[in-house]
Amino acid sequence: MGKQLEMKKISIEFPGVKALSDVDFSVQSGTAHALVGANGAGKSTLMKVLSGAHVHYSGDIFIDGMKRDIRSPKAAQEQGIQIVYQEVDTALIPYLTVGENVMLNDMVQNMGKKQRVQWKELHNKATSILEDMKIHVPSKKLVRDLTLAEKQMVLIARAVSTECKFLILDEPTAPLSHTETTELFRIVNELKQKGVAIIFISHRLPEIFEICEEITIMRNGERVTCRKIEDITRTEVVENMLGKTMDEQFPEVNASIGDVILEVNGLSDAEKVKNVSLNIKAGEIIGLAGLVGAGKTELCKTLFGHTSITAGEVILNGRKLSLKSPHEAVKSGLALVPEERRKEGVLVQESVSANLTAASLGKFCKTFSIVDRKAEKEKAKETIASLGIKTPSGEVKVENLSGGNQQKVAIGKWLMADADVYIFDEPTKGVDVGAKKDIFELIAKLARNGKAIIYASSELSEIMGITNRTYVLYDGSTVIELETSKTNEEELLFYSTGGK
């Protein structure tokens, strides 16, 4: 028998919120155990308890029947528990190399012993780990120059570089392409064969059914059920997560399509975007389809003035724009809900109310630019209710919300600003099925109100479910325009992989 990890009667409270209530969880060495639930169900909180990030919990943790007191990340790591968080940029040091990030735990231990770092040995070790995992990233490359997918793989490499017995993966495939996900699953299966227990947090049910042996489902801070994968269906998983039957995921948009609002002609930036042309009409939702690395995010940022335009033009409502900054883009009537919400979409240390009004403070200014705080809070309260943001109050910091509710805040900010064109970059990444449906409803409502929508996603089922037309991107260029109702996922994938 391998090692068994058990969590019994785990409870934890935060100001105004009971996040976990008497939760039991267990995982066996050499297996992958899925941990799922709607955003805010408590799954990430439970894993933060296990990894030593939350210390004020009640309940017990056992490894091989022996009680362990895990009240710090160091204590967790000493028991062989490692966690790879979803938000990769918060866990990596951008100005250090790949090798230094992979071997960070060793570097910290050696510094504590006042030993000099053997740089050649460090990079040789890191290169060996990366090559063993078939991760083709140079050890001496700076982390800040990596793609999101490469950063994720570096984090996993760091975790397995230690004496890892229990590996927690929090939405590990969210930034990965199909090929990279296949490679990750190869690594997971190899780790299982070596006796490592994998705790797999994901909202992508097909992946869970492919890679996991067991599944624990949580709802509202409690464990709902624990089942063998072969004894449960996907429909039952969703219904257990939501506590109700799941209706049709994609809403009927039924928007009246008007005149062209946005035209993009021959657009290029200094790096990824090459000669992109597209147009969007009022009330229309267009898709930007493509694999991870196709240039979707770069195009969205270029349209929002985040990166410099080197060629081409952007015309909004018949007027050519000079987009030299996001501030100019906002003034022109453009809004962007970015892929990396914690890094770029919300101010995590600020309150929900402050975030919701951040893009439209001018509406709440009295004489001499003094903000009417009462009006600001009332409008924020109204938006919280209309979007169904789960928070005890508008004064709660955004960092304390679940991923899906953070995303609703990121969207709500721009709803209050009332833009003409809304750009959504991977808006459902790391979001549960219930919150996804809420986001689709919000986008459909914007279209019915005559807004033009750009929906960029590598989730082809979402492109098929919510858009009118689709532009497929490959290597930074638009390769084809398709009417969504007359295509399918197979054709989108064909063009996304370079088919002609």
Side-chain angles (χ1 to χ4, degrees), residues 394-429:
E395 301 312 304
V396 170
K397 286 185 179 181
V398 167
E399 68 178 347
N400 293 326
L401 302 187
S402 66
N405 285 300
Q406 287 181 9
Q407 189 70 312
K408 288 182 184 180
V409 171
I411 296 170
K413 171 177 69 176
W414 293 116
L415 297 183
M416 290 176 68
D418 194 29
D420 294 317
V421 178
Y422 287 82
I423 306 167
F424 292 89
D425 185 11
E426 300 285 359
T428 64
K429 189 174 92 173

PDB file of all heavy atoms in Angstrom, residues 394-429:
ATOM      1  N   GLY A 394     -19.870  45.112  -0.375  1.00  0.00           N
ATOM      2  CA  GLY A 394     -19.034  45.773  -1.370  1.00  0.00           C
ATOM      3  C   GLY A 394     -17.683  46.175  -0.841  1.00  0.00           C
ATOM      4  O   GLY A 394     -16.789  46.540  -1.610  1.00  0.00           O
ATOM      5  N   GLU A 395     -17.507  46.097   0.473  1.00  0.00           N
ATOM      6  CA  GLU A 395     -16.238  46.516   1.078  1.00  0.00           C
ATOM      7  C   GLU A 395     -15.227  45.370   1.193  1.00  0.00           C
ATOM      8  O   GLU A 395     -14.087  45.590   1.600  1.00  0.00           O
ATOM      9  CB  GLU A 395     -16.504  47.111   2.469  1.00  0.00           C
ATOM     10  CG  GLU A 395     -17.451  48.310   2.445  1.00  0.00           C
ATOM     11  CD  GLU A 395     -17.072  49.337   1.387  1.00  0.00           C
ATOM     12  OE1 GLU A 395     -15.923  49.807   1.412  1.00  0.00           O
ATOM     13  OE2 GLU A 395     -17.917  49.642   0.521  1.00  0.00           O
ATOM     14  N   VAL A 396     -15.634  44.171   0.852  1.00  0.00           N
ATOM     15  CA  VAL A 396     -14.719  43.024   0.896  1.00  0.00           C
ATOM     16  C   VAL A 396     -13.667  43.172  -0.194  1.00  0.00           C
ATOM     17  O   VAL A 396     -13.967  43.581  -1.323  1.00  0.00           O
ATOM     18  CB  VAL A 396     -15.498  41.707   0.709  1.00  0.00           C
ATOM     19  CG1 VAL A 396     -14.549  40.531   0.500  1.00  0.00           C
ATOM     20  CG2 VAL A 396     -16.389  41.456   1.909  1.00  0.00           C
ATOM     21  N   LYS A 397     -12.405  42.842   0.126  1.00  0.00           N
ATOM     22  CA  LYS A 397     -11.344  42.904  -0.884  1.00  0.00           C
ATOM     23  C   LYS A 397     -11.570  41.846  -1.959  1.00  0.00           C
ATOM     24  O   LYS A 397     -11.981  40.726  -1.658  1.00  0.00           O
ATOM     25  CB  LYS A 397      -9.969  42.685  -0.229  1.00  0.00           C
ATOM     26  CG  LYS A 397      -9.473  43.882   0.574  1.00  0.00           C
ATOM     27  CD  LYS A 397      -8.066  43.623   1.085  1.00  0.00           C
ATOM     28  CE  LYS A 397      -7.548  44.826   1.871  1.00  0.00           C
ATOM     29  NZ  LYS A 397      -6.159  44.596   2.367  1.00  0.00           N
ATOM     30  N   VAL A 398     -11.266  42.213  -3.199  1.00  0.00           N
ATOM     31  CA  VAL A 398     -11.488  41.308  -4.328  1.00  0.00           C
ATOM     32  C   VAL A 398     -10.665  40.030  -4.196  1.00  0.00           C
ATOM     33  O   VAL A 398     -11.097  38.962  -4.630  1.00  0.00           O
ATOM     34  CB  VAL A 398     -11.179  42.042  -5.656  1.00  0.00           C
ATOM     35  CG1 VAL A 398     -11.081  41.067  -6.821  1.00  0.00           C
ATOM     36  CG2 VAL A 398     -12.267  43.076  -5.948  1.00  0.00           C
ATOM     37  N   GLU A 399      -9.498  40.101  -3.576  1.00  0.00           N
ATOM     38  CA  GLU A 399      -8.657  38.913  -3.430  1.00  0.00           C
ATOM     39  C   GLU A 399      -9.341  37.810  -2.623  1.00  0.00           C
ATOM     40  O   GLU A 399      -8.971  36.640  -2.727  1.00  0.00           O
ATOM     41  CB  GLU A 399      -7.322  39.277  -2.783  1.00  0.00           C
ATOM     42  CG  GLU A 399      -7.424  39.714  -1.333  1.00  0.00           C
ATOM     43  CD  GLU A 399      -6.061  40.024  -0.720  1.00  0.00           C
ATOM     44  OE1 GLU A 399      -5.037  39.667  -1.338  1.00  0.00           O
ATOM     45  OE2 GLU A 399      -6.033  40.622   0.371  1.00  0.00           O
ATOM     46  N   ASN A 400     -10.365  38.168  -1.839  1.00  0.00           N
ATOM     47  CA  ASN A 400     -11.067  37.181  -1.014  1.00  0.00           C
ATOM     48  C   ASN A 400     -12.244  36.532  -1.739  1.00  0.00           C
ATOM     49  O   ASN A 400     -12.911  35.665  -1.175  1.00  0.00           O
ATOM     50  CB  ASN A 400     -11.560  37.833   0.280  1.00  0.00           C
ATOM     51  CG  ASN A 400     -10.409  38.256   1.185  1.00  0.00           C
ATOM     52  OD1 ASN A 400      -9.383  37.583   1.227  1.00  0.00           O
ATOM     53  ND2 ASN A 400     -10.559  39.367   1.876  1.00  0.00           N
ATOM     54  N   LEU A 401     -12.497  36.949  -2.982  1.00  0.00           N
ATOM     55  CA  LEU A 401     -13.579  36.350  -3.765  1.00  0.00           C
ATOM     56  C   LEU A 401     -13.072  35.145  -4.540  1.00  0.00           C
ATOM     57  O   LEU A 401     -11.884  35.015  -4.807  1.00  0.00           O
ATOM     58  CB  LEU A 401     -14.170  37.370  -4.740  1.00  0.00           C
ATOM     59  CG  LEU A 401     -14.757  38.671  -4.191  1.00  0.00           C
ATOM     60  CD1 LEU A 401     -15.437  39.442  -5.312  1.00  0.00           C
ATOM     61  CD2 LEU A 401     -15.752  38.405  -3.073  1.00  0.00           C
ATOM     62  N   SER A 402     -13.995  34.285  -4.954  1.00  0.00           N
ATOM     63  CA  SER A 402     -13.638  33.151  -5.807  1.00  0.00           C
ATOM     64  C   SER A 402     -13.303  33.668  -7.211  1.00  0.00           C
ATOM     65  O   SER A 402     -13.608  34.812  -7.562  1.00  0.00           O
ATOM     66  CB  SER A 402     -14.810  32.175  -5.897  1.00  0.00           C
ATOM     67  OG  SER A 402     -15.896  32.792  -6.571  1.00  0.00           O
ATOM     68  N   GLY A 403     -12.696  32.783  -8.024  1.00  0.00           N
ATOM     69  CA  GLY A 403     -12.301  33.172  -9.378  1.00  0.00           C
ATOM     70  C   GLY A 403     -13.458  33.660 -10.230  1.00  0.00           C
ATOM     71  O   GLY A 403     -13.353  34.657 -10.947  1.00  0.00           O
ATOM     72  N   GLY A 404     -14.593  32.952 -10.164  1.00  0.00           N
ATOM     73  CA  GLY A 404     -15.751  33.345 -10.962  1.00  0.00           C
ATOM     74  C   GLY A 404     -16.305  34.691 -10.554  1.00  0.00           C
ATOM     75  O   GLY A 404     -16.711  35.499 -11.401  1.00  0.00           O
ATOM     76  N   ASN A 405     -16.301  34.970  -9.255  1.00  0.00           N
ATOM     77  CA  ASN A 405     -16.806  36.259  -8.781  1.00  0.00           C
ATOM     78  C   ASN A 405     -15.818  37.388  -9.080  1.00  0.00           C
ATOM     79  O   ASN A 405     -16.226  38.520  -9.345  1.00  0.00           O
ATOM     80  CB  ASN A 405     -17.120  36.172  -7.288  1.00  0.00           C
ATOM     81  CG  ASN A 405     -18.395  35.391  -7.029  1.00  0.00           C
ATOM     82  OD1 ASN A 405     -19.468  35.759  -7.498  1.00  0.00           O
ATOM     83  ND2 ASN A 405     -18.284  34.288  -6.322  1.00  0.00           N
ATOM     84  N   GLN A 406     -14.519  37.092  -9.062  1.00  0.00           N
ATOM     85  CA  GLN A 406     -13.540  38.086  -9.498  1.00  0.00           C
ATOM     86  C   GLN A 406     -13.776  38.447 -10.965  1.00  0.00           C
ATOM     87  O   GLN A 406     -13.681  39.619 -11.350  1.00  0.00           O
ATOM     88  CB  GLN A 406     -12.115  37.538  -9.326  1.00  0.00           C
ATOM     89  CG  GLN A 406     -11.656  37.473  -7.885  1.00  0.00           C
ATOM     90  CD  GLN A 406     -10.242  36.954  -7.767  1.00  0.00           C
ATOM     91  OE1 GLN A 406      -9.531  36.793  -8.756  1.00  0.00           O
ATOM     92  NE2 GLN A 406      -9.813  36.676  -6.548  1.00  0.00           N
ATOM     93  N   GLN A 407     -14.088  37.439 -11.772  1.00  0.00           N
ATOM     94  CA  GLN A 407     -14.338  37.694 -13.195  1.00  0.00           C
ATOM     95  C   GLN A 407     -15.586  38.547 -13.390  1.00  0.00           C
ATOM     96  O   GLN A 407     -15.623  39.431 -14.252  1.00  0.00           O
ATOM     97  CB  GLN A 407     -14.480  36.365 -13.948  1.00  0.00           C
ATOM     98  CG  GLN A 407     -14.531  36.504 -15.462  1.00  0.00           C
ATOM     99  CD  GLN A 407     -13.215  36.922 -16.066  1.00  0.00           C
ATOM    100  OE1 GLN A 407     -12.569  37.860 -15.611  1.00  0.00           O
ATOM    101  NE2 GLN A 407     -12.808  36.259 -17.117  1.00  0.00           N
ATOM    102  N   LYS A 408     -16.607  38.308 -12.578  1.00  0.00           N
ATOM    103  CA  LYS A 408     -17.811  39.144 -12.669  1.00  0.00           C
ATOM    104  C   LYS A 408     -17.508  40.596 -12.303  1.00  0.00           C
ATOM    105  O   LYS A 408     -18.073  41.524 -12.886  1.00  0.00           O
ATOM    106  CB  LYS A 408     -18.913  38.591 -11.750  1.00  0.00           C
ATOM    107  CG  LYS A 408     -19.542  37.295 -12.254  1.00  0.00           C
ATOM    108  CD  LYS A 408     -20.648  36.851 -11.314  1.00  0.00           C
ATOM    109  CE  LYS A 408     -21.242  35.515 -11.713  1.00  0.00           C
ATOM    110  NZ  LYS A 408     -22.320  35.097 -10.799  1.00  0.00           N
ATOM    111  N   VAL A 409     -16.607  40.790 -11.340  1.00  0.00           N
ATOM    112  CA  VAL A 409     -16.195  42.159 -10.977  1.00  0.00           C
ATOM    113  C   VAL A 409     -15.473  42.807 -12.145  1.00  0.00           C
ATOM    114  O   VAL A 409     -15.714  43.978 -12.471  1.00  0.00           O
ATOM    115  CB  VAL A 409     -15.296  42.143  -9.719  1.00  0.00           C
ATOM    116  CG1 VAL A 409     -14.689  43.520  -9.467  1.00  0.00           C
ATOM    117  CG2 VAL A 409     -16.093  41.693  -8.494  1.00  0.00           C
ATOM    118  N   ALA A 410     -14.577  42.042 -12.798  1.00  0.00           N
ATOM    119  CA  ALA A 410     -13.836  42.565 -13.951  1.00  0.00           C
ATOM    120  C   ALA A 410     -14.774  42.980 -15.080  1.00  0.00           C
ATOM    121  O   ALA A 410     -14.556  43.994 -15.757  1.00  0.00           O
ATOM    122  CB  ALA A 410     -12.839  41.518 -14.453  1.00  0.00           C
ATOM    123  N   ILE A 411     -15.849  42.215 -15.263  1.00  0.00           N
ATOM    124  CA  ILE A 411     -16.835  42.553 -16.299  1.00  0.00           C
ATOM    125  C   ILE A 411     -17.709  43.717 -15.841  1.00  0.00           C
ATOM    126  O   ILE A 411     -17.983  44.642 -16.606  1.00  0.00           O
ATOM    127  CB  ILE A 411     -17.706  41.324 -16.638  1.00  0.00           C
ATOM    128  CG1 ILE A 411     -16.837  40.215 -17.252  1.00  0.00           C
ATOM    129  CG2 ILE A 411     -18.839  41.703 -17.592  1.00  0.00           C
ATOM    130  CD1 ILE A 411     -17.547  38.882 -17.391  1.00  0.00           C
ATOM    131  N   GLY A 412     -18.148  43.670 -14.587  1.00  0.00           N
ATOM    132  CA  GLY A 412     -19.032  44.704 -14.052  1.00  0.00           C
ATOM    133  C   GLY A 412     -18.430  46.098 -14.129  1.00  0.00           C
ATOM    134  O   GLY A 412     -19.140  47.091 -14.346  1.00  0.00           O
ATOM    135  N   LYS A 413     -17.116  46.185 -13.968  1.00  0.00           N
ATOM    136  CA  LYS A 413     -16.409  47.471 -14.067  1.00  0.00           C
ATOM    137  C   LYS A 413     -16.693  48.143 -15.406  1.00  0.00           C
ATOM    138  O   LYS A 413     -16.942  49.351 -15.481  1.00  0.00           O
ATOM    139  CB  LYS A 413     -14.908  47.212 -13.911  1.00  0.00           C
ATOM    140  CG  LYS A 413     -14.015  48.394 -14.185  1.00  0.00           C
ATOM    141  CD  LYS A 413     -12.552  48.047 -13.925  1.00  0.00           C
ATOM    142  CE  LYS A 413     -12.012  47.079 -14.941  1.00  0.00           C
ATOM    143  NZ  LYS A 413     -10.573  46.810 -14.746  1.00  0.00           N
ATOM    144  N   TRP A 414     -16.683  47.331 -16.476  1.00  0.00           N
ATOM    145  CA  TRP A 414     -16.880  47.903 -17.813  1.00  0.00           C
ATOM    146  C   TRP A 414     -18.356  48.097 -18.139  1.00  0.00           C
ATOM    147  O   TRP A 414     -18.705  48.956 -18.962  1.00  0.00           O
ATOM    148  CB  TRP A 414     -16.213  47.011 -18.859  1.00  0.00           C
ATOM    149  CG  TRP A 414     -14.724  47.004 -18.719  1.00  0.00           C
ATOM    150  CD1 TRP A 414     -13.926  45.946 -18.409  1.00  0.00           C
ATOM    151  CD2 TRP A 414     -13.853  48.127 -18.848  1.00  0.00           C
ATOM    152  NE1 TRP A 414     -12.620  46.327 -18.350  1.00  0.00           N
ATOM    153  CE2 TRP A 414     -12.540  47.671 -18.617  1.00  0.00           C
ATOM    154  CE3 TRP A 414     -14.041  49.485 -19.138  1.00  0.00           C
ATOM    155  CZ2 TRP A 414     -11.434  48.506 -18.671  1.00  0.00           C
ATOM    156  CZ3 TRP A 414     -12.934  50.317 -19.189  1.00  0.00           C
ATOM    157  CH2 TRP A 414     -11.658  49.832 -18.961  1.00  0.00           C
ATOM    158  N   LEU A 415     -19.227  47.319 -17.513  1.00  0.00           N
ATOM    159  CA  LEU A 415     -20.666  47.549 -17.716  1.00  0.00           C
ATOM    160  C   LEU A 415     -21.043  48.932 -17.214  1.00  0.00           C
ATOM    161  O   LEU A 415     -21.848  49.643 -17.824  1.00  0.00           O
ATOM    162  CB  LEU A 415     -21.491  46.484 -16.988  1.00  0.00           C
ATOM    163  CG  LEU A 415     -21.324  45.035 -17.453  1.00  0.00           C
ATOM    164  CD1 LEU A 415     -22.263  44.126 -16.683  1.00  0.00           C
ATOM    165  CD2 LEU A 415     -21.575  44.917 -18.935  1.00  0.00           C
ATOM    166  N   MET A 416     -20.444  49.342 -16.093  1.00  0.00           N
ATOM    167  CA  MET A 416     -20.724  50.662 -15.538  1.00  0.00           C
ATOM    168  C   MET A 416     -20.124  51.767 -16.402  1.00  0.00           C
ATOM    169  O   MET A 416     -20.639  52.873 -16.462  1.00  0.00           O
ATOM    170  CB  MET A 416     -20.183  50.755 -14.105  1.00  0.00           C
ATOM    171  CG  MET A 416     -20.982  49.904 -13.123  1.00  0.00           C
ATOM    172  SD  MET A 416     -20.308  49.883 -11.442  1.00  0.00           S
ATOM    173  CE  MET A 416     -20.607  51.558 -10.930  1.00  0.00           C
ATOM    174  N   ALA A 417     -19.019  51.455 -17.107  1.00  0.00           N
ATOM    175  CA  ALA A 417     -18.370  52.458 -17.963  1.00  0.00           C
ATOM    176  C   ALA A 417     -19.126  52.664 -19.273  1.00  0.00           C
ATOM    177  O   ALA A 417     -18.969  53.690 -19.930  1.00  0.00           O
ATOM    178  CB  ALA A 417     -16.933  52.043 -18.251  1.00  0.00           C
ATOM    179  N   ASP A 418     -19.933  51.670 -19.693  1.00  0.00           N
ATOM    180  CA  ASP A 418     -20.779  51.773 -20.890  1.00  0.00           C
ATOM    181  C   ASP A 418     -19.963  52.043 -22.152  1.00  0.00           C
ATOM    182  O   ASP A 418     -20.018  53.115 -22.746  1.00  0.00           O
ATOM    183  CB  ASP A 418     -21.839  52.871 -20.704  1.00  0.00           C
ATOM    184  CG  ASP A 418     -22.935  52.765 -21.767  1.00  0.00           C
ATOM    185  OD1 ASP A 418     -23.198  51.657 -22.237  1.00  0.00           O
ATOM    186  OD2 ASP A 418     -23.499  53.812 -22.133  1.00  0.00           O
ATOM    187  N   ALA A 419     -19.202  51.038 -22.594  1.00  0.00           N
ATOM    188  CA  ALA A 419     -18.389  51.152 -23.801  1.00  0.00           C
ATOM    189  C   ALA A 419     -19.210  50.793 -25.047  1.00  0.00           C
ATOM    190  O   ALA A 419     -20.347  50.330 -24.939  1.00  0.00           O
ATOM    191  CB  ALA A 419     -17.178  50.226 -23.686  1.00  0.00           C
ATOM    192  N   ASP A 420     -18.629  51.015 -26.235  1.00  0.00           N
ATOM    193  CA  ASP A 420     -19.267  50.629 -27.500  1.00  0.00           C
ATOM    194  C   ASP A 420     -18.836  49.229 -27.921  1.00  0.00           C
ATOM    195  O   ASP A 420     -19.611  48.471 -28.491  1.00  0.00           O
ATOM    196  CB  ASP A 420     -18.896  51.621 -28.616  1.00  0.00           C
ATOM    197  CG  ASP A 420     -19.468  53.005 -28.374  1.00  0.00           C
ATOM    198  OD1 ASP A 420     -20.644  53.092 -27.969  1.00  0.00           O
ATOM    199  OD2 ASP A 420     -18.747  53.990 -28.591  1.00  0.00           O
ATOM    200  N   VAL A 421     -17.555  48.920 -27.663  1.00  0.00           N
ATOM    201  CA  VAL A 421     -16.990  47.624 -28.053  1.00  0.00           C
ATOM    202  C   VAL A 421     -16.416  46.954 -26.806  1.00  0.00           C
ATOM    203  O   VAL A 421     -15.602  47.548 -26.090  1.00  0.00           O
ATOM    204  CB  VAL A 421     -15.880  47.787 -29.114  1.00  0.00           C
ATOM    205  CG1 VAL A 421     -15.288  46.421 -29.470  1.00  0.00           C
ATOM    206  CG2 VAL A 421     -16.420  48.476 -30.362  1.00  0.00           C
ATOM    207  N   TYR A 422     -16.836  45.712 -26.552  1.00  0.00           N
ATOM    208  CA  TYR A 422     -16.348  44.946 -25.408  1.00  0.00           C
ATOM    209  C   TYR A 422     -15.471  43.801 -25.912  1.00  0.00           C
ATOM    210  O   TYR A 422     -15.910  42.996 -26.743  1.00  0.00           O
ATOM    211  CB  TYR A 422     -17.508  44.384 -24.591  1.00  0.00           C
ATOM    212  CG  TYR A 422     -18.236  45.431 -23.780  1.00  0.00           C
ATOM    213  CD1 TYR A 422     -19.212  46.242 -24.358  1.00  0.00           C
ATOM    214  CD2 TYR A 422     -17.930  45.628 -22.438  1.00  0.00           C
ATOM    215  CE1 TYR A 422     -19.872  47.219 -23.619  1.00  0.00           C
ATOM    216  CE2 TYR A 422     -18.584  46.591 -21.684  1.00  0.00           C
ATOM    217  CZ  TYR A 422     -19.554  47.380 -22.285  1.00  0.00           C
ATOM    218  OH  TYR A 422     -20.196  48.354 -21.548  1.00  0.00           O
ATOM    219  N   ILE A 423     -14.243  43.744 -25.413  1.00  0.00           N
ATOM    220  CA  ILE A 423     -13.299  42.694 -25.795  1.00  0.00           C
ATOM    221  C   ILE A 423     -13.134  41.737 -24.612  1.00  0.00           C
ATOM    222  O   ILE A 423     -12.704  42.150 -23.535  1.00  0.00           O
ATOM    223  CB  ILE A 423     -11.929  43.299 -26.178  1.00  0.00           C
ATOM    224  CG1 ILE A 423     -12.092  44.369 -27.264  1.00  0.00           C
ATOM    225  CG2 ILE A 423     -10.972  42.205 -26.642  1.00  0.00           C
ATOM    226  CD1 ILE A 423     -10.848  45.224 -27.474  1.00  0.00           C
ATOM    227  N   PHE A 424     -13.499  40.486 -24.819  1.00  0.00           N
ATOM    228  CA  PHE A 424     -13.385  39.459 -23.772  1.00  0.00           C
ATOM    229  C   PHE A 424     -12.284  38.479 -24.165  1.00  0.00           C
ATOM    230  O   PHE A 424     -12.394  37.804 -25.190  1.00  0.00           O
ATOM    231  CB  PHE A 424     -14.703  38.697 -23.606  1.00  0.00           C
ATOM    232  CG  PHE A 424     -15.821  39.522 -23.032  1.00  0.00           C
ATOM    233  CD1 PHE A 424     -16.657  40.254 -23.853  1.00  0.00           C
ATOM    234  CD2 PHE A 424     -16.035  39.556 -21.664  1.00  0.00           C
ATOM    235  CE1 PHE A 424     -17.696  41.019 -23.331  1.00  0.00           C
ATOM    236  CE2 PHE A 424     -17.073  40.310 -21.126  1.00  0.00           C
ATOM    237  CZ  PHE A 424     -17.903  41.052 -21.953  1.00  0.00           C
ATOM    238  N   ASP A 425     -11.214  38.410 -23.361  1.00  0.00           N
ATOM    239  CA  ASP A 425     -10.103  37.507 -23.644  1.00  0.00           C
ATOM    240  C   ASP A 425     -10.147  36.343 -22.652  1.00  0.00           C
ATOM    241  O   ASP A 425      -9.886  36.516 -21.463  1.00  0.00           O
ATOM    242  CB  ASP A 425      -8.772  38.268 -23.517  1.00  0.00           C
ATOM    243  CG  ASP A 425      -7.570  37.421 -23.909  1.00  0.00           C
ATOM    244  OD1 ASP A 425      -7.778  36.333 -24.478  1.00  0.00           O
ATOM    245  OD2 ASP A 425      -6.429  37.851 -23.647  1.00  0.00           O
ATOM    246  N   GLU A 426     -10.493  35.157 -23.149  1.00  0.00           N
ATOM    247  CA  GLU A 426     -10.625  33.942 -22.319  1.00  0.00           C
ATOM    248  C   GLU A 426     -11.435  34.230 -21.049  1.00  0.00           C
ATOM    249  O   GLU A 426     -10.974  33.993 -19.924  1.00  0.00           O
ATOM    250  CB  GLU A 426      -9.243  33.391 -21.945  1.00  0.00           C
ATOM    251  CG  GLU A 426      -8.369  32.993 -23.116  1.00  0.00           C
ATOM    252  CD  GLU A 426      -8.780  31.685 -23.786  1.00  0.00           C
ATOM    253  OE1 GLU A 426      -9.751  31.063 -23.320  1.00  0.00           O
ATOM    254  OE2 GLU A 426      -8.134  31.303 -24.773  1.00  0.00           O
ATOM    255  N   PRO A 427     -12.671  34.732 -21.183  1.00  0.00           N
ATOM    256  CA  PRO A 427     -13.419  35.185 -20.008  1.00  0.00           C
ATOM    257  C   PRO A 427     -13.854  34.089 -19.049  1.00  0.00           C
ATOM    258  O   PRO A 427     -14.187  34.377 -17.903  1.00  0.00           O
ATOM    259  CB  PRO A 427     -14.648  35.874 -20.610  1.00  0.00           C
ATOM    260  CG  PRO A 427     -14.830  35.213 -21.934  1.00  0.00           C
ATOM    261  CD  PRO A 427     -13.441  34.917 -22.429  1.00  0.00           C
ATOM    262  N   THR A 428     -13.851  32.824 -19.499  1.00  0.00           N
ATOM    263  CA  THR A 428     -14.327  31.750 -18.617  1.00  0.00           C
ATOM    264  C   THR A 428     -13.180  30.885 -18.083  1.00  0.00           C
ATOM    265  O   THR A 428     -13.425  29.827 -17.516  1.00  0.00           O
ATOM    266  CB  THR A 428     -15.337  30.842 -19.346  1.00  0.00           C
ATOM    267  OG1 THR A 428     -14.675  30.181 -20.437  1.00  0.00           O
ATOM    268  CG2 THR A 428     -16.514  31.643 -19.866  1.00  0.00           C
ATOM    269  N   LYS A 429     -11.944  31.337 -18.244  1.00  0.00           N
ATOM    270  CA  LYS A 429     -10.801  30.546 -17.774  1.00  0.00           C
ATOM    271  C   LYS A 429     -10.869  30.393 -16.252  1.00  0.00           C
ATOM    272  O   LYS A 429     -10.952  31.366 -15.520  1.00  0.00           O
ATOM    273  CB  LYS A 429      -9.489  31.224 -18.165  1.00  0.00           C
ATOM    274  CG  LYS A 429      -8.272  30.352 -17.897  1.00  0.00           C
ATOM    275  CD  LYS A 429      -7.004  30.989 -18.424  1.00  0.00           C
ATOM    276  CE  LYS A 429      -6.334  31.812 -17.366  1.00  0.00           C
ATOM    277  NZ  LYS A 429      -5.024  32.307 -17.777  1.00  0.00           N
TER     278      LYS A 429
END
